[in-house]
Amino acid sequence: MTFLPSRDRKYLESKSFAFEEIVDGCNKGIVLPKFRLPAQKYNANQVDVLIILPPGYPDVAPDMFYLEPWIKLVQGNRYPKAANNPFSFSGRSWQRWSRHNNEWRRGVDGIWTMLKRIEYALEVAA
């Protein structure tokens, strides 16, 4: 099933991102496999990233993001703040990163905005 808006699809393809569109119950999600993590910050080098697209997307912002496998910070061997709850999607237990978005610009933002938010959250996590 294809549900990703064409401008998001074109963006991901132009940046050579592999992605999969998955429907699980009433949730529609984009999975980005083998997403690279900041070097030496986590107990893994790459993860799969899940972005749930809410009803009304792209006019409505995605809220959180999810990782699998679960990761911990190398320093302190612990989960990052607000990243220790499970989320079940497509038969997998994802690590929920509770990072809310209150600055989404309807008609301007898209998957590229969410990816920048994810990259930032992974870089500054403590």
Side-chain angles (χ1 to χ4, degrees):
M1 169 181 242
T2 298
F3 53 80
L4 193 62
S6 63
R7 68 183 187 149
D8 287 352
R9 180 180 308 284
K10 288 176 186 171
Y11 175 81
L12 292 171
E13 290 169 351
S14 76
K15 300 296 182 184
S16 299
F17 275 102
F19 64 95
E20 186 178 358
E21 297 169 82
I22 301 173
V23 176
D24 184 11
C26 62
N27 289 316
K28 294 179 180 176
I30 303 300
V31 175
L32 304 165
K34 299 180 181 176
F35 192 89
R36 302 234 12 110
L37 296 171
Q40 301 169 358
K41 184 169 178 93
Y42 298 99
N43 64 341
N45 295 321
Q46 61 187 21
V47 292
D48 290 354
V49 174
L50 168 64
I51 302 168
I52 298 294
L53 301 180
Y57 177 85
D59 291 334
V60 177
D63 192 28
M64 298 180 249
F65 65 94
Y66 310 86
L67 305 181
E68 207 275 325
W70 288 47
I71 59 173
K72 289 184 177 181
L73 294 163
V74 169
Q75 185 175 10
N77 189 35
R78 63 176 179 77
Y79 295 121
K81 183 180 177 183
N84 62 344
N85 288 305
F87 178 75
S88 181
F89 183 84
S90 190
R92 296 165 71 179
S93 179
W94 297 82
Q95 179 183 18
R96 184 184 79 186
W97 284 60
S98 184
R99 307 292 189 272
H100 304 289
N101 183 356
N102 299 317
E103 299 176 10
W104 193 261
R105 298 165 298 173
R106 182 180 179 173
V108 174
D109 290 324
I111 202 70
W112 52 88
T113 309
M114 191 63 184
L115 287 170
K116 291 297 178 197
R117 290 183 61 241
I118 291 168
E119 290 169 354
Y120 178 76
L122 291 168
E123 192 65 45
V124 302

